[in-house]
Amino acid sequence: MRTPPRNVMRAPWKAALGLIAAAVLCLTPQATARPAADSPSVAAESRAAADPAYKILVFSRTAGFRHSSIDDGIAALRGLGTAHNFTVDATEDGQAFTAGNLAQYKAVVFLSTTGDVLNDAQQTAFEQYIQGGGGYVGIHAAADTEYDWPFYEGLAGALFHSHPAIQPATVQVEDRAHDATAHLGSTWQRTDEWYNYRTNPRTSAHVLASLDESSYSGGTMSGDHPIAWCKDYRGGRAFYTGGGHTDESYSEPAFRRHLLGGIRWAAGMTEADCRPETGYTSLFDGSSTTGWKQAGPGGFTLADGTLTSQGGLGMLWYSAKEFTGDYSLKLDWKAAGDDNSGVFLGFPASDDPWSAVNNGYEIQIDATDAADRTTGAVYGFKSADLAARDAALNPPGSGTPTNSASPANGWRSSSTAARSTTSPTPTRHAASPRDTSASRTTGRRRGVLPRHPHQAERRAGARTPLG
């Protein structure tokens, strides 16, 4: 059972959550081949899916400081386009921003633009382009642009405040399901010029990665320092990364793959849940299983922020807290091919795994079963809205995706909403894999809850807003 990221399931239950252990330990190639945190794979760039041909516009006009890396950036984007089936038109002429001209592009990249770069008519044309479903990609100094244009500030997510000297830092990867960060480990060591921003974008955007301010000097965002994010904005898509100041950035395979993922998502070639995550409590942070209990045979191993099921048909369930009332649960998971798994909700606390089966609801993960037993369904009770699910959820499998919506490593994000009945009886969450299940953390903000997968992997992605 698999819950689709944007296909919200509602049912009259209270909260219970657990994961069922599998009979066989089976880490998929994506999991076992995931690069170490400090050495993202040089081959990462080659693992994107084959997309239909499309065009992007790269805009690099500067009315303030000009970055020497702009030429390297354009060259890198052209190289990515050649390798991944998109054409790059590069310009510094604001006259390119007309409704007719912009209509040919799936996304517009602001590559280290600075200052006021568009006049009123050009701004209006760009607003209409975004409102019509266009994509925006902001790189580095795109945040140092158009301070007096409120629409652009909302699109970019946050604007530049200051920066310390160029230095190495630890990037904490918070979402490893998005195509821009799916190739990375839980942390990413790199050197760049690290911007501080005037506001924190977390309240309006979905943060993909943030800086560990203890790993470098000069961070001023009080320990919560987003550095890459995405958002749905006014009908369009917006992706921003703070990296890209240095010339060397554009020859780094991991950074180039980061840019490619952002472009692909902004251009609509891949799907992701880019809603802000506010008010959530992490149930699994990728570092320990504190608060979780194993019921029945089998178990889960924890490595690199990933829970992988092994042996048996037991269940790992969240015992630390009972939830009542309405809530939303998020998780990231991965299943190989046509394997199946799921998430149990709404069962009473018990060390007997059959308590979840007999008393709870299972949100199914299975690509090919009957409608009421396939991905997103409440198992045996109600089918998901299959059209909405398929539009929002990347397809099963990884490495050799079935279509261009597949992320590089097969991770998918799921969101489930549960509405309580009038009786506020507290219940719990459980997830259970039938043959193998892994849950992978996207960072400190995620938690996990899978059910019974056949070679299914799940990332720490269960987050519950309380109250």
Side-chain angles (χ1 to χ4, degrees):
M1 305 173 28
R2 160 174 62 199
T3 54
R6 291 180 184 165
N7 180 31
V8 175
M9 307 296 298
R10 294 188 179 276
W13 59 53
K14 295 66 160 183
L17 182 136
L19 325 163
I20 289 182
V24 180
L25 172 62
C26 180
L27 290 177
T28 65
Q30 294 81 358
T32 57
R34 179 171 297 281
D38 59 352
S39 58
S41 172
V42 173
E45 191 178 307
S46 66
R47 293 199 300 262
D51 297 323
Y54 62 100
K55 297 176 69 176
I56 67 170
L57 178 66
V58 176
F59 185 54
S60 56
R61 183 180 180 185
T62 56
F65 180 82
R66 184 169 184 84
H67 285 75
S68 64
S69 61
I70 287 176
D71 289 343
D72 291 302
I74 293 173
L77 295 176
R78 289 193 190 280
L80 291 171
T82 299
H84 299 284
N85 210 26
F86 62 87
T87 300
V88 173
D89 289 342
T91 186
E92 300 204 353
D93 188 352
Q95 294 185 55
F97 285 74
T98 66
N101 189 54
L102 292 175
Q104 64 182 304
Y105 300 110
K106 290 291 187 181
V108 177
V109 179
F110 278 53
L111 174 59
S112 285
T113 50
T114 55
D116 296 331
V117 292
L118 298 177
N119 64 29
D120 289 349
Q122 294 159 359
Q123 289 179 3
T124 297
F126 189 53
E127 288 184 16
Q128 293 172 345
Y129 166 78
I130 295 296
Q131 291 164 351
Y136 163 86
V137 173
I139 300 175
H140 193 56
D144 189 21
T145 300
E146 294 289 356
Y147 289 91
D148 297 322
W149 182 13
F151 179 92
Y152 183 83
E153 181 177 4
L155 181 70
L159 296 178
F160 167 78
H161 177 266
S162 62
H163 66 78
I166 296 171
Q167 59 191 298
T170 299
V171 178
Q172 299 171 318
V173 181
E174 298 193 24
D175 185 335
R176 290 162 66 193
H178 194 286
D179 196 42
T181 45
H183 62 294
L184 300 170
S186 58
T187 60
W188 184 17
Q189 306 295 329
R190 64 181 310 269
T191 297
D192 216 319
E193 179 184 80
W194 303 112
Y195 276 7
N196 299 304
Y197 300 93
R198 297 186 178 195
T199 58
N200 191 319
R202 193 180 294 278
T203 57
S204 64
H206 176 70
V207 176
L208 304 175
S210 57
L211 291 174
D212 178 355
E213 289 192 333
S214 69
S215 69
Y216 74 106
S217 61
T220 64
M221 297 187 68
S222 303
D224 184 13
H225 195 143
I227 198 64
W229 54 83
C230 62
K231 65 192 302 186
D232 297 308
Y233 186 73
R234 305 280 184 93
R237 295 183 174 197
F239 167 86
Y240 172 83
T241 179
H245 172 87
T246 66
D247 298 356
E248 295 78 11
S249 295
Y250 298 97
S251 61
E252 295 176 25
F255 185 72
R256 288 165 62 98
R257 184 62 184 84
H258 177 59
L259 295 179
L260 175 62
I263 290 169
R264 293 186 68 236
W265 177 79
M269 298 296 128
T270 186
E271 295 297 329
D273 185 352
C274 284
R275 295 172 294 181
E277 294 180 352
T278 55
Y280 282 93
T281 297
S282 176
L283 302 184
F284 169 60
D285 65 3
S287 64
S288 77
T289 55
T290 300
W292 294 82
K293 294 178 65 177
Q294 178 68 28
F300 284 78
T301 59
L302 172 59
D304 188 27
T306 300
L307 289 172
T308 304
S309 67
Q310 57 178 353
L313 287 171
M315 179 180 71
L316 183 66
W317 63 287
Y318 191 68
S319 61
K321 183 178 178 64
E322 294 178 330
F323 301 96
T324 61
D326 298 349
Y327 64 92
S328 173
L329 174 67
K330 290 187 177 184
L331 64 143
D332 292 338
W333 52 272
K334 178 167 65 173
D338 190 29
D339 300 336
N340 84 75
S341 183
V343 180
F344 277 110
L345 304 170
F347 57 89
S350 174
D351 287 327
D352 179 1
W354 288 101
S355 172
V357 175
N358 295 331
N359 301 297
Y361 296 83
E362 182 184 6
I363 310 302
Q364 177 71 0
I365 296 175
D366 189 329
T368 61
D369 209 334
D372 67 343
R373 299 184 179 191
T374 192
T375 298
V378 181
Y379 187 84
F381 174 71
K382 184 177 179 61
S383 172
D385 181 333
L386 300 182
R389 178 202 67 183
D390 292 344
L393 188 67
N394 288 313
S398 56
T400 53
T402 57
N403 65 37
S404 62
S406 285
N409 65 357
W411 287 106
R412 290 171 289 281
S413 297
S414 298
S415 175
T416 298
R419 176 166 293 167
S420 68
T421 59
T422 54
S423 172
T425 305
T427 53
R428 296 185 181 272
H429 306 293
S432 68
R434 198 174 300 243
D435 270 81
T436 59
S437 165
S439 297
R440 218 178 251 277
T441 184
T442 57
R444 55 197 166 91
R445 292 174 59 78
R446 290 194 181 255
V448 169
L449 341 160
R451 185 259 203 213
H452 63 252
H454 261 298
Q455 301 182 7
E457 297 191 38
R458 243 72 63 73
R459 175 181 315 185
R463 303 174 296 277
T464 304
L466 308 180

